[in-house]
Amino acid sequence: MARLIDAGPGCPTPTPLRGKSAAEARGLTYDDAVKAETDALYPLVADFVTPMEWPAIAPLVAAINKLKRAKNAVILAHNYMTPDIFSLVGDFRGDSLQLAREAAATDADIIVQAGVHFMAETSKILAPDKTVLIPDTRAGCSLAASITGADVRLIKQKFPNYPVVTYVNCTADVKAECHITCTSSNAAQVVEHVAKEWNSDTVILVPDQYLAKNVAAQTGIRILTWPGACEVHEQFSGEDVKQLREAHPGVIVLAHPECPPDVLQEADFAGSTSALSNFVAEKQPNKVVLLTECSMSDNVAAENPAVNFIRPCNLCPHMKRITLENIYDCLVSGKHEVTIPEDVRVRAKATLDAMLALPKMARPLSFKTGQVPLELEMVI
Ligand code: SF4
């Protein structure tokens, strides 16, 4: 179940409240120079940060942006970051694969991953010569933690004739053991491709059982999966969608494919974070709800001021470990560097390269809604 239905502007909780001490403890003060440097940034977060809070945040923002210039660093900000990070210090913004591609293309020496650990690993896989830092090593992921490389080796022993696709939300160790990676933007394309390439009527898709069920409903290919789930998206239900429609007549319901299939059955549109964001930008619906992580609605709302957002607030506790404070600290200290054994990195890169070699889609694939949910066989 979604924890809270909030129709008002701004999310009630994701941007942490700060006393002045957070900046002051780091020797940063809100002086005239900081004020002059940051005044123009405040409107970007005015819906989320009160004028009283701004003097506690602005010195951190100014100091982070100065450190980035001094150290030739960039910050990759995932869509689920709070608006202060996303809008004020992020140099590149997007989903995990978009960010990893930026990591590979940038000429910066240091990459700070404002996201979770598997995303920092993906950046390191594609940008091995750069220093990749994660501000808090505890920023994990329930989906990535559900499966190990050893699990995949056992799956391959049990089903040697089926291709194994992994969703990009997994560790480098898991990527290294699979045949190809997919994202929520191209999962159906990847599954159809490997089924043809392997001349197989069956594909194994790990670790997200709900993504697998939603892809199976799109492709008609037999899919075996793994009992992993995103602890944020699995909380939504088809019943939530019905309640939202009753409470907010006319609302357009958009869902991420990590949600259970009964959510997609009831939704108006489903797709990756990029697809959801594009839908809102292009259609400008009068009233919309995004069934995904809470801060995503905040960030999309900031870019679409004419759209009225209804906000069920499910926060990812792992994403919320990243703060302006620990971004500042990691830029100052150089902690915490993400490393991957080279043999693992090379094999993990091969699975990403296999996906990137597929014909580039003009736009992220959307998922058909209204489909009857399928039950899939698990590989364990
Ligand atoms: S939102 Fe879900 S998939 Fe993304 S990091 Fe959090 S737990 Fe993992």
mmCIF file of all heavy atoms in Angstrom, residues 78 80 115-119 139-144 167 169 208 229-233 258 292-293 314-319, ligand 1:
data_model
loop_
_atom_site.group_PDB
_atom_site.id
_atom_site.type_symbol
_atom_site.label_atom_id
_atom_site.label_comp_id
_atom_site.label_asym_id
_atom_site.label_seq_id
_atom_site.Cartn_x
_atom_site.Cartn_y
_atom_site.Cartn_z
ATOM 1 N N HIS A 78 20.413 10.874 -9.585
ATOM 2 C CA HIS A 78 19.307 10.012 -10.017
ATOM 3 C C HIS A 78 17.973 10.728 -9.801
ATOM 4 O O HIS A 78 17.846 11.595 -8.930
ATOM 5 C CB HIS A 78 19.334 8.694 -9.228
ATOM 6 C CG HIS A 78 18.376 7.681 -9.752
ATOM 7 N ND1 HIS A 78 17.112 7.518 -9.232
ATOM 8 C CD2 HIS A 78 18.481 6.800 -10.779
ATOM 9 C CE1 HIS A 78 16.485 6.560 -9.914
ATOM 10 N NE2 HIS A 78 17.288 6.093 -10.853
ATOM 11 N N TYR A 80 15.510 9.891 -8.289
ATOM 12 C CA TYR A 80 14.928 9.712 -6.954
ATOM 13 C C TYR A 80 15.641 10.533 -5.883
ATOM 14 O O TYR A 80 15.353 10.379 -4.697
ATOM 15 C CB TYR A 80 14.965 8.233 -6.545
ATOM 16 C CG TYR A 80 14.144 7.294 -7.422
ATOM 17 C CD1 TYR A 80 14.277 5.916 -7.304
ATOM 18 C CD2 TYR A 80 13.242 7.774 -8.366
ATOM 19 C CE1 TYR A 80 13.536 5.050 -8.092
ATOM 20 C CE2 TYR A 80 12.508 6.904 -9.165
ATOM 21 C CZ TYR A 80 12.659 5.544 -9.018
ATOM 22 O OH TYR A 80 11.925 4.677 -9.809
ATOM 23 N N GLY A 115 23.107 8.498 -5.822
ATOM 24 C CA GLY A 115 22.222 7.375 -6.114
ATOM 25 C C GLY A 115 22.655 6.226 -5.221
ATOM 26 O O GLY A 115 23.353 6.450 -4.234
ATOM 27 N N VAL A 116 22.300 4.998 -5.581
ATOM 28 C CA VAL A 116 22.654 3.863 -4.720
ATOM 29 C C VAL A 116 23.861 3.109 -5.273
ATOM 30 O O VAL A 116 24.342 3.396 -6.370
ATOM 31 C CB VAL A 116 21.440 2.934 -4.488
ATOM 32 C CG1 VAL A 116 20.347 3.663 -3.734
ATOM 33 C CG2 VAL A 116 20.929 2.358 -5.801
ATOM 34 N N HIS A 117 24.325 2.127 -4.474
ATOM 35 C CA HIS A 117 25.629 1.523 -4.737
ATOM 36 C C HIS A 117 25.718 0.832 -6.093
ATOM 37 O O HIS A 117 26.727 0.957 -6.800
ATOM 38 C CB HIS A 117 25.967 0.535 -3.606
ATOM 39 C CG HIS A 117 27.416 0.182 -3.559
ATOM 40 N ND1 HIS A 117 27.930 -0.907 -4.235
ATOM 41 C CD2 HIS A 117 28.472 0.793 -2.972
ATOM 42 C CE1 HIS A 117 29.242 -0.954 -4.032
ATOM 43 N NE2 HIS A 117 29.597 0.062 -3.276
ATOM 44 N N PHE A 118 24.642 0.109 -6.502
ATOM 45 C CA PHE A 118 24.776 -0.596 -7.791
ATOM 46 C C PHE A 118 24.912 0.414 -8.937
ATOM 47 O O PHE A 118 25.527 0.114 -9.971
ATOM 48 C CB PHE A 118 23.607 -1.571 -8.025
ATOM 49 C CG PHE A 118 22.306 -0.953 -8.452
ATOM 50 C CD1 PHE A 118 22.102 -0.560 -9.772
ATOM 51 C CD2 PHE A 118 21.277 -0.757 -7.539
ATOM 52 C CE1 PHE A 118 20.893 0.018 -10.168
ATOM 53 C CE2 PHE A 118 20.073 -0.192 -7.928
ATOM 54 C CZ PHE A 118 19.885 0.203 -9.246
ATOM 55 N N MET A 119 24.368 1.613 -8.768
ATOM 56 C CA MET A 119 24.503 2.643 -9.809
ATOM 57 C C MET A 119 25.948 3.139 -9.885
ATOM 58 O O MET A 119 26.478 3.370 -10.985
ATOM 59 C CB MET A 119 23.568 3.821 -9.511
ATOM 60 C CG MET A 119 22.121 3.429 -9.549
ATOM 61 S SD MET A 119 21.049 4.781 -9.077
ATOM 62 C CE MET A 119 19.465 3.941 -9.225
ATOM 63 N N ALA A 139 24.008 3.098 1.113
ATOM 64 C CA ALA A 139 22.942 3.315 0.131
ATOM 65 C C ALA A 139 22.835 2.085 -0.775
ATOM 66 O O ALA A 139 23.439 2.006 -1.832
ATOM 67 C CB ALA A 139 23.239 4.573 -0.698
ATOM 68 N N GLY A 140 22.084 1.106 -0.308
ATOM 69 C CA GLY A 140 21.952 -0.169 -1.023
ATOM 70 C C GLY A 140 20.670 -0.213 -1.825
ATOM 71 O O GLY A 140 20.185 0.798 -2.322
ATOM 72 N N CYS A 141 20.095 -1.420 -1.947
ATOM 73 C CA CYS A 141 18.878 -1.582 -2.751
ATOM 74 C C CYS A 141 18.316 -2.965 -2.455
ATOM 75 O O CYS A 141 19.051 -3.958 -2.527
ATOM 76 C CB CYS A 141 19.226 -1.445 -4.227
ATOM 77 S SG CYS A 141 17.912 -1.991 -5.339
ATOM 78 N N SER A 142 17.027 -3.052 -2.136
ATOM 79 C CA SER A 142 16.435 -4.355 -1.804
ATOM 80 C C SER A 142 16.480 -5.305 -2.993
ATOM 81 O O SER A 142 16.641 -6.512 -2.826
ATOM 82 C CB SER A 142 14.983 -4.171 -1.359
ATOM 83 O OG SER A 142 14.189 -3.677 -2.425
ATOM 84 N N LEU A 143 16.370 -4.745 -4.170
ATOM 85 C CA LEU A 143 16.372 -5.577 -5.379
ATOM 86 C C LEU A 143 17.778 -6.127 -5.626
ATOM 87 O O LEU A 143 17.959 -7.331 -5.833
ATOM 88 C CB LEU A 143 15.916 -4.696 -6.553
ATOM 89 C CG LEU A 143 15.403 -5.340 -7.819
ATOM 90 C CD1 LEU A 143 14.435 -6.465 -7.542
ATOM 91 C CD2 LEU A 143 14.739 -4.257 -8.667
ATOM 92 N N ALA A 144 18.768 -5.253 -5.588
ATOM 93 C CA ALA A 144 20.149 -5.685 -5.826
ATOM 94 C C ALA A 144 20.608 -6.670 -4.750
ATOM 95 O O ALA A 144 21.367 -7.598 -5.037
ATOM 96 C CB ALA A 144 21.072 -4.464 -5.870
ATOM 97 N N TYR A 167 18.145 -7.412 -14.933
ATOM 98 C CA TYR A 167 17.778 -6.005 -14.831
ATOM 99 C C TYR A 167 19.017 -5.259 -14.325
ATOM 100 O O TYR A 167 19.773 -5.784 -13.501
ATOM 101 C CB TYR A 167 16.610 -5.901 -13.843
ATOM 102 C CG TYR A 167 15.948 -4.564 -13.689
ATOM 103 C CD1 TYR A 167 15.849 -3.656 -14.734
ATOM 104 C CD2 TYR A 167 15.360 -4.226 -12.467
ATOM 105 C CE1 TYR A 167 15.208 -2.449 -14.569
ATOM 106 C CE2 TYR A 167 14.709 -3.019 -12.293
ATOM 107 C CZ TYR A 167 14.647 -2.134 -13.340
ATOM 108 O OH TYR A 167 14.016 -0.930 -13.181
ATOM 109 N N ASN A 169 19.411 -3.135 -12.212
ATOM 110 C CA ASN A 169 19.415 -2.917 -10.762
ATOM 111 C C ASN A 169 19.953 -4.153 -10.041
ATOM 112 O O ASN A 169 19.225 -4.914 -9.407
ATOM 113 C CB ASN A 169 17.991 -2.638 -10.251
ATOM 114 C CG ASN A 169 17.422 -1.354 -10.786
ATOM 115 O OD1 ASN A 169 17.880 -0.851 -11.797
ATOM 116 N ND2 ASN A 169 16.424 -0.811 -10.118
ATOM 117 N N ASP A 208 14.009 -8.993 -10.603
ATOM 118 C CA ASP A 208 12.734 -8.370 -10.209
ATOM 119 C C ASP A 208 11.556 -9.183 -10.751
ATOM 120 O O ASP A 208 11.260 -9.154 -11.947
ATOM 121 C CB ASP A 208 12.677 -6.928 -10.757
ATOM 122 C CG ASP A 208 11.463 -6.169 -10.244
ATOM 123 O OD1 ASP A 208 10.480 -6.825 -9.834
ATOM 124 O OD2 ASP A 208 11.490 -4.928 -10.249
ATOM 125 N N ALA A 229 12.300 -8.011 -5.357
ATOM 126 C CA ALA A 229 11.337 -6.915 -5.580
ATOM 127 C C ALA A 229 11.930 -5.626 -5.050
ATOM 128 O O ALA A 229 12.772 -5.624 -4.142
ATOM 129 C CB ALA A 229 10.018 -7.198 -4.866
ATOM 130 N N CYS A 230 11.489 -4.536 -5.632
ATOM 131 C CA CYS A 230 11.849 -3.207 -5.124
ATOM 132 C C CYS A 230 10.924 -2.904 -3.955
ATOM 133 O O CYS A 230 9.695 -2.940 -4.107
ATOM 134 C CB CYS A 230 11.679 -2.163 -6.227
ATOM 135 S SG CYS A 230 11.589 -0.497 -5.555
ATOM 136 N N GLU A 231 11.504 -2.590 -2.800
ATOM 137 C CA GLU A 231 10.675 -2.394 -1.607
ATOM 138 C C GLU A 231 9.809 -1.134 -1.697
ATOM 139 O O GLU A 231 8.898 -0.968 -0.894
ATOM 140 C CB GLU A 231 11.554 -2.346 -0.369
ATOM 141 C CG GLU A 231 12.476 -1.151 -0.293
ATOM 142 C CD GLU A 231 13.422 -1.236 0.893
ATOM 143 O OE1 GLU A 231 14.474 -1.875 0.748
ATOM 144 O OE2 GLU A 231 13.101 -0.675 1.950
ATOM 145 N N VAL A 232 10.097 -0.271 -2.636
ATOM 146 C CA VAL A 232 9.271 0.929 -2.828
ATOM 147 C C VAL A 232 8.073 0.602 -3.725
ATOM 148 O O VAL A 232 6.920 0.795 -3.354
ATOM 149 C CB VAL A 232 10.114 2.057 -3.477
ATOM 150 C CG1 VAL A 232 9.240 3.258 -3.812
ATOM 151 C CG2 VAL A 232 11.250 2.452 -2.554
ATOM 152 N N HIS A 233 8.351 0.061 -4.898
ATOM 153 C CA HIS A 233 7.276 -0.149 -5.878
ATOM 154 C C HIS A 233 6.349 -1.298 -5.516
ATOM 155 O O HIS A 233 5.187 -1.298 -5.899
ATOM 156 C CB HIS A 233 7.885 -0.363 -7.268
ATOM 157 C CG HIS A 233 8.556 0.868 -7.808
ATOM 158 N ND1 HIS A 233 9.890 1.124 -7.627
ATOM 159 C CD2 HIS A 233 8.044 1.926 -8.481
ATOM 160 C CE1 HIS A 233 10.194 2.287 -8.191
ATOM 161 N NE2 HIS A 233 9.090 2.801 -8.710
ATOM 162 N N GLU A 258 8.265 -1.712 -12.097
ATOM 163 C CA GLU A 258 8.657 -2.478 -10.909
ATOM 164 C C GLU A 258 7.452 -2.674 -9.983
ATOM 165 O O GLU A 258 7.546 -3.366 -8.974
ATOM 166 C CB GLU A 258 9.785 -1.767 -10.149
ATOM 167 C CG GLU A 258 11.128 -1.820 -10.855
ATOM 168 C CD GLU A 258 12.168 -0.899 -10.233
ATOM 169 O OE1 GLU A 258 11.992 -0.482 -9.072
ATOM 170 O OE2 GLU A 258 13.152 -0.577 -10.918
ATOM 171 N N THR A 292 5.556 5.713 -8.268
ATOM 172 C CA THR A 292 6.989 5.422 -8.232
ATOM 173 C C THR A 292 7.560 6.120 -7.003
ATOM 174 O O THR A 292 6.800 6.542 -6.127
ATOM 175 C CB THR A 292 7.668 5.866 -9.553
ATOM 176 O OG1 THR A 292 9.035 5.456 -9.527
ATOM 177 C CG2 THR A 292 7.582 7.359 -9.786
ATOM 178 N N GLU A 293 8.873 6.231 -6.926
ATOM 179 C CA GLU A 293 9.480 6.813 -5.734
ATOM 180 C C GLU A 293 9.075 8.284 -5.597
ATOM 181 O O GLU A 293 8.936 9.011 -6.583
ATOM 182 C CB GLU A 293 11.007 6.679 -5.834
ATOM 183 C CG GLU A 293 11.703 6.559 -4.510
ATOM 184 C CD GLU A 293 12.080 7.871 -3.863
ATOM 185 O OE1 GLU A 293 11.994 8.922 -4.539
ATOM 186 O OE2 GLU A 293 12.453 7.864 -2.691
ATOM 187 N N ASN A 314 5.901 7.115 -1.326
ATOM 188 C CA ASN A 314 6.729 5.980 -0.929
ATOM 189 C C ASN A 314 8.184 6.363 -1.168
ATOM 190 O O ASN A 314 8.611 6.537 -2.308
ATOM 191 C CB ASN A 314 6.386 4.735 -1.761
ATOM 192 C CG ASN A 314 5.126 4.062 -1.261
ATOM 193 O OD1 ASN A 314 4.626 4.398 -0.192
ATOM 194 N ND2 ASN A 314 4.608 3.133 -2.032
ATOM 195 N N LEU A 315 8.923 6.488 -0.077
ATOM 196 C CA LEU A 315 10.332 6.881 -0.170
ATOM 197 C C LEU A 315 11.239 5.663 -0.255
ATOM 198 O O LEU A 315 10.967 4.650 0.375
ATOM 199 C CB LEU A 315 10.732 7.658 1.083
ATOM 200 C CG LEU A 315 10.094 9.023 1.295
ATOM 201 C CD1 LEU A 315 10.371 9.510 2.704
ATOM 202 C CD2 LEU A 315 10.650 9.994 0.275
ATOM 203 N N CYS A 316 12.322 5.781 -0.997
ATOM 204 C CA CYS A 316 13.346 4.732 -0.964
ATOM 205 C C CYS A 316 14.332 5.104 0.145
ATOM 206 O O CYS A 316 15.037 6.106 0.046
ATOM 207 C CB CYS A 316 14.081 4.643 -2.290
ATOM 208 S SG CYS A 316 15.467 3.493 -2.180
ATOM 209 N N PRO A 317 14.399 4.290 1.200
ATOM 210 C CA PRO A 317 15.287 4.646 2.327
ATOM 211 C C PRO A 317 16.754 4.644 1.927
ATOM 212 O O PRO A 317 17.574 5.320 2.558
ATOM 213 C CB PRO A 317 14.999 3.556 3.368
ATOM 214 C CG PRO A 317 14.432 2.404 2.585
ATOM 215 C CD PRO A 317 13.730 2.991 1.396
ATOM 216 N N HIS A 318 17.082 3.886 0.885
ATOM 217 C CA HIS A 318 18.493 3.820 0.450
ATOM 218 C C HIS A 318 18.881 5.099 -0.296
ATOM 219 O O HIS A 318 19.938 5.663 -0.061
ATOM 220 C CB HIS A 318 18.696 2.593 -0.447
ATOM 221 C CG HIS A 318 18.106 1.354 0.141
ATOM 222 N ND1 HIS A 318 18.630 0.759 1.261
ATOM 223 C CD2 HIS A 318 17.007 0.627 -0.197
ATOM 224 C CE1 HIS A 318 17.887 -0.300 1.566
ATOM 225 N NE2 HIS A 318 16.898 -0.393 0.700
ATOM 226 N N MET A 319 17.998 5.522 -1.191
ATOM 227 C CA MET A 319 18.267 6.771 -1.922
ATOM 228 C C MET A 319 18.368 7.944 -0.939
ATOM 229 O O MET A 319 19.161 8.870 -1.141
ATOM 230 C CB MET A 319 17.137 7.054 -2.916
ATOM 231 C CG MET A 319 17.082 6.086 -4.074
ATOM 232 S SD MET A 319 18.321 6.532 -5.303
ATOM 233 C CE MET A 319 17.938 5.324 -6.573
HETATM 234 S S1 SF4 B 1 13.731 2.520 -5.394
HETATM 235 FE FE1 SF4 B 1 13.706 0.267 -5.279
HETATM 236 S S2 SF4 B 1 15.025 -0.413 -6.963
HETATM 237 FE FE2 SF4 B 1 15.470 1.775 -6.602
HETATM 238 S S3 SF4 B 1 17.183 1.772 -5.148
HETATM 239 FE FE3 SF4 B 1 15.296 1.903 -3.912
HETATM 240 S S4 SF4 B 1 14.846 -0.232 -3.376
HETATM 241 FE FE4 SF4 B 1 16.293 -0.288 -5.093
#
